[in-house]
Amino acid sequence: MRSTMLWLTTCVATWCLIAGAEPTPDVIENSIGVRMKLLPAGTFTMGDDTGDAFERPAHRVTLSRPFYMGVYEVTHAQWKRVMNSSPSNPQAADHPVENVDWQEAIAFCEKLSALPEERKQGRVYRLPTEVEWEYACRAGTTTKFSFGDHAANLGEYGWFEKNSPIATQSIATHQVGLKKPNAWGLYDMHGNVREWCNDRPDRYRGDAVTDPSELAEQNLRILRGGSWRDPAGYAKSSYRISTGTWVKGGEIGFRLALSLSGTGPAAAEK
């Protein structure tokens, strides 16, 4: 996987030099300290035929454009710099922000995008689509978790109910980036806080699709990744939950996505 990523990065850089453009950086850090990793376009199997009904059927999905994904979940400190508020329970600045609903997460993306430094770079931040989220979480793997099929190893990669006992902690989130990253260098994709996606929920149809994005108006959205209070199964790469856009809690946060064009994800093929 590392050799494939190196090859891709080299090809992109070479093309940019030939075209006279600046190479697209593999990692960027924005004006409030959010680090983002460039992920390649590609095809993967989304869902799990052995999972619950909302995860089935497994199907092939192609993302035709590379995009940036947050290396970490958005932190309390980063939220405060943009929103000048503290929605979360009292916690350290480097813990993920939580207790934010979907609309508030969208408002953060809009206000961050409007900062002078970000406008100068042409960056328009957003929540990842559900497809982008699972693609980023899997990081080229086909197993139930990005590290394999066995939940016994989850404690090395994420915070969930067995290593975040509520009875002994009034603040149950954890500093971002303390656990191992996945193969693409993304942290806390399994556990810590559940993460908002941009999409409304829909049943999988089973057809192979390219750049799907369910953006119809509806007051339900998808949460991914599980949290510090959830059982291991909620942290699987394919596990998905739908809930109202108004829902918030101490286990719900988000991370950012960014299209190279600075606009949005590729439109769904009709």
Side-chain angles (χ1 to χ4, degrees):
M1 180 56 64
R2 289 181 179 176
S3 61
T4 301
M5 290 294 290
L6 179 60
W7 175 84
L8 175 71
T9 303
T10 302
C11 287
V12 171
T14 301
W15 181 88
C16 288
L17 288 173
I18 293 173
E22 290 291 327
T24 302
D26 184 52
V27 177
I28 61 174
E29 182 169 329
N30 70 12
S31 61
I32 65 165
V34 173
R35 290 175 60 83
M36 305 193 76
K37 179 71 179 291
L38 180 64
L39 304 186
T43 300
F44 76 111
T45 298
M46 185 177 187
D48 182 358
D49 284 331
T50 67
D52 68 25
F54 206 35
E55 300 172 66
R56 304 193 304 261
H59 55 289
R60 297 292 280 172
V61 178
T62 297
L63 289 171
S64 65
R65 303 174 185 175
F67 65 98
Y68 282 104
M69 189 75 159
V71 172
Y72 308 104
E73 295 158 332
V74 172
T75 66
H76 186 227
Q78 291 163 348
W79 176 278
K80 193 170 184 179
R81 285 188 63 180
V82 174
M83 307 299 284
N84 196 30
S85 65
S86 300
S88 303
N89 298 308
Q91 61 173 294
D94 52 9
H95 285 220
V97 69
E98 33 83 8
N99 203 37
V100 294
D101 64 30
W102 185 86
Q103 299 285 0
E104 290 168 331
I106 292 294
F108 176 90
C109 294
E110 292 172 349
K111 290 196 72 171
L112 174 59
S113 301
L115 294 179
E117 299 90 337
E118 305 308 319
R119 291 183 64 185
K120 182 178 179 180
Q121 296 293 330
R123 296 171 180 163
V124 180
Y125 297 95
R126 56 182 175 82
L127 297 177
T129 67
E130 187 183 9
V131 170
E132 289 173 334
W133 193 97
E134 186 169 330
Y135 180 68
C137 181
R138 289 186 177 279
T141 65
T142 58
T143 47
K144 294 186 182 300
F145 302 91
S146 66
F147 51 83
D149 283 319
H150 302 295
N153 298 323
L154 178 57
E156 298 179 33
Y157 293 84
W159 301 102
F160 66 118
E161 65 172 2
K162 287 190 176 179
N163 59 7
S164 302
I166 301 174
T168 59
Q169 300 177 202
S170 59
I171 303 172
T173 59
H174 298 266
Q175 176 184 335
V176 299
L178 290 182
K179 296 295 186 177
K180 293 180 180 179
N182 69 12
W184 286 352
L186 306 178
Y187 292 82
D188 296 306
M189 297 297 292
H190 304 294
N192 213 356
V193 291
R194 299 178 191 175
E195 300 177 14
W196 285 113
C197 291
N198 205 38
D199 312 58
R200 67 177 176 87
D202 200 0
R203 295 284 181 180
Y204 295 153
R205 298 173 180 83
D207 300 327
V209 293
T210 297
D211 299 321
S213 182
E214 299 285 355
L215 298 176
E217 287 297 325
Q218 184 174 327
N219 291 327
L220 294 173
R221 291 296 185 273
I222 291 289
L223 286 166
R224 287 294 200 126
S227 77
W228 56 267
R229 69 181 304 165
D230 293 324
Y234 284 39
K236 290 189 306 178
S237 299
S238 61
Y239 194 81
R240 54 203 298 253
I241 301 173
S242 67
T243 193
T245 56
W246 62 89
V247 172
K248 59 177 68 179
E251 74 284 1
I252 296 176
F254 65 101
R255 77 178 67 217
L256 297 175
L258 178 68
S259 300
L260 290 183
S261 63
T263 56
E269 287 193 347
K270 302 298 182 183

